[in-house]
Each structure stands twice: as C-alpha cells, then as structure tokens.
Amino acid sequence: MPQLSPEGQAAINAISQRTGFSPDAVTSMLFSVIAGNGSMAQFSHPEFGGSGQWMRGGMTMVSDMFNNYLKGRVDGLCSELSNLVANQPGLTQSGSFQSQSQGGGYSGSGQWQSSGGGMGMGGNQSSLFIPDASGNFNWWPADLGQPASTGAQNSVRYAYFPESHRLAIDLNGQVTVYDSLDHQIGGFSQQQGGSGSLTFTSQYGTVFVSNLPIVSGAPQSPAYAPQAPVYDPPPPPPQQQNYAPQPQTFGNPLPPLGQNEVISAIEKLADLHAKGILSDQEFSTKKAELLSRL
C-alpha cells in the first residue's frame, strides 16, 4: 500500500474532523475511491457498517439499508474524497470502462484499464503519497518494473507484466503477485455479488486467477475457483451371514412309563375298543405307542 505523504496525512486528518470518521476509516475509503477511478467505491470498514458501495451522483448502499443517516455521512465522505482524488494528478485514468454485472453482460461504468506505465508518469505526481525511488506512484512491487496494462474495478486493481510472466492483484491494499505462466492475458472481469470471482481471458479461454501459482503475498478472496463437490462415501454393503440349518423338532419325546401304568392304560383302551369308541386301527396304534414307552 502506498505511504501517505505529510500533505496527504494532513488532508486525511482534516476530512476526518469534518466528517466524524476516524483517519483509519477515511484512509480506507480513500483507497476504495481511487480503486473506483474516483467515481465509485466498494468499501468495507466497521465505521461504515461493514461492506457497502458508493457511486458518484448515484446510490449509496450500506449493510444497514434503512440507516439513512449513515448513508448520508458515507456519501458526504466519498464525495469529498472523490473531489480530492480528481484534483490529484495520476490517481485517476481515462479510458474504456467495462464492468461485468452479476447476471453477465457489461455496463458502462466500474472498471478502467489502461496500457503501459503506472500512476504518476511523465512528472505528474500526486502530493498525497510518497513516490517510490523512480518517482512513480505504483502499488505493485518495484522489482516488477512497469506493467504492459493496468486496471481496476471496485476494490480490486491489477497490473500485468508479460515479460516476467507476473500478474499483481491489489485487493483493499493487500497485494498478491501471481505467476502468469504461459498465459497471454487479454482482459479481466469480476462478477459482482456471490463469489466475486476474478477471471481473465487468455489463449486457453477463461481462467480463474486463483488457479495461478502465488509468487508472493496471500491469496485474494475474489480469486475464487470452484471446488469439486465432496460426496460422503457410500455405506458398505451389509455382510452376509451364513446360517446353518437347524434340525426341526416336533414336540418333546414322551417320558417312559412304568409297567403297571402301561397295562392299566391298555386295559382302558381295550374297554373303549369293546364299546366301539375306538376302531381297530386306533386301538392298535395307541397300544403300540404305550408299549414303546416301557
């Protein structure tokens, strides 16, 4: 993140006193306004109620959507910073604007991009920041040199260095440098809302920035690559158990009888047979059963 000059710090303190926001909140919004080319800002700070958006001459959105008092304060701060940035050389650039909306397609504001060089070129330097050793106000590491193209959208800025195969991404003052490999980068886009994914086009089609190797810094949240869905492993099939067939039994065997008991029972059967109650076959069957229990 560029360092504020004494004049820049004095301007931040003066705006802080007028608006009631802390110098830290004003500095954070300053970089958001610069990233929006002075005409818009996508910000995130506790004093602003979290995340929100501002557009010059348009709407102001904060997380607490019904807090009109906070909206008015944020709008006043952004308008004052926008005027400050507009009067500083090298902080805004003119050129083609392209902004990819959430539903696809392009609108006429939100992203600027230019070819070659950084801010503060040609002797025009902003007095708000301390220039680097070369006299330029550049947010990317100095050892990368001058990019072939730069651009910004909302709170994201990029600088592309094809000769060294490097891509620098600045998100809210946090710079990450990627190895662009053999990609011939032709353009960038960032979707609003949802994942906020940052992609670029090359000879291989559309590529997520997060797919590139990181050279320095930390991965950026908009550089989002979809992850493969994770499925729980299917449950193991039920184990088959071997059941040995058990012999079937039909009742318990009759206990043995004494001789007198058998003779008495046979006499009773004979009496029933004589009276015609038992047939010959029934009498013979029961007699043989009783004899077997001796």
Side-chain angles (χ1 to χ4, degrees):
M1 178 182 296
Q3 184 178 356
L4 287 170
S5 65
E7 182 178 344
Q9 190 62 60
I12 292 296
N13 293 337
I15 296 175
S16 173
Q17 292 179 358
R18 287 194 296 270
T19 61
F21 292 109
S22 68
D24 178 73
V26 175
T27 303
S28 173
M29 185 65 81
L30 172 63
F31 283 105
S32 297
V33 172
I34 293 175
N37 202 33
S39 61
M40 63 180 300
Q42 181 173 332
F43 52 84
S44 178
H45 194 277
E47 294 188 32
F48 307 139
S51 301
Q53 292 182 341
W54 170 83
M55 182 175 295
R56 184 173 56 194
M59 62 180 180
T60 300
M61 298 178 60
V62 295
S63 297
D64 187 359
M65 63 179 64
F66 299 109
N67 192 339
N68 294 324
Y69 175 70
L70 178 60
K71 287 182 181 180
R73 293 183 62 207
V74 171
D75 179 68
L77 172 62
C78 292
S79 297
E80 188 163 353
L81 291 175
S82 176
N83 294 331
L84 176 66
V85 169
N87 293 325
Q88 293 290 320
L91 293 186
T92 60
Q93 300 187 15
S94 61
S96 60
F97 285 70
Q98 290 183 335
S99 175
Q100 184 172 351
S101 62
Q102 183 175 1
Y106 293 87
S107 60
S109 62
Q111 177 180 350
W112 56 261
Q113 56 185 45
S114 63
S115 298
M119 297 180 185
M121 296 296 293
N124 295 325
Q125 300 175 6
S126 169
S127 62
L128 298 180
F129 302 98
I130 298 176
D132 60 13
S134 63
N136 298 325
F137 166 53
N138 296 330
W139 54 265
W140 53 84
D143 59 346
L144 293 178
Q146 294 302 320
S149 62
T150 60
Q153 180 180 356
N154 300 327
S155 59
V156 181
R157 297 187 289 183
Y158 75 86
Y160 175 44
F161 307 85
E163 293 185 1
S164 58
H165 302 283
R166 292 293 183 265
L167 172 65
I169 302 292
D170 174 22
L171 173 62
N172 293 325
Q174 180 180 339
V175 179
T176 302
V177 179
Y178 296 88
D179 185 347
S180 60
L181 304 174
D182 62 340
H183 290 285
Q184 299 175 9
I185 297 177
F188 289 81
S189 65
Q190 179 193 7
Q191 292 183 348
Q192 303 300 316
S195 64
S197 56
L198 181 63
T199 61
F200 63 87
T201 56
S202 73
Q203 69 273 30
Y204 302 115
T206 301
V207 182
F208 284 95
V209 170
S210 60
N211 290 341
L212 299 177
I214 296 177
V215 177
S216 64
Q220 310 286 356
S221 58
Y224 169 82
Q227 303 295 325
V230 178
Y231 301 98
D232 294 331
Q239 297 182 354
Q240 296 182 354
Q241 299 181 0
N242 297 325
Y243 296 95
Q246 301 295 330
Q248 296 181 353
T249 58
F250 301 94
N252 296 325
L254 297 176
L257 297 175
Q259 182 176 0
N260 294 332
E261 293 176 320
V262 172
I263 293 175
S264 174
I266 291 176
E267 289 177 349
K268 292 180 181 180
L269 289 175
D271 184 54
L272 293 173
H273 178 255
K275 293 179 180 180
I277 298 176
L278 295 178
S279 64
D280 294 341
Q281 182 178 0
E282 291 174 338
F283 174 72
S284 299
T285 300
K286 292 296 183 180
K287 180 180 177 181
E289 181 180 322
L290 290 171
L291 293 175
S292 64
R293 297 174 63 185
L294 287 173

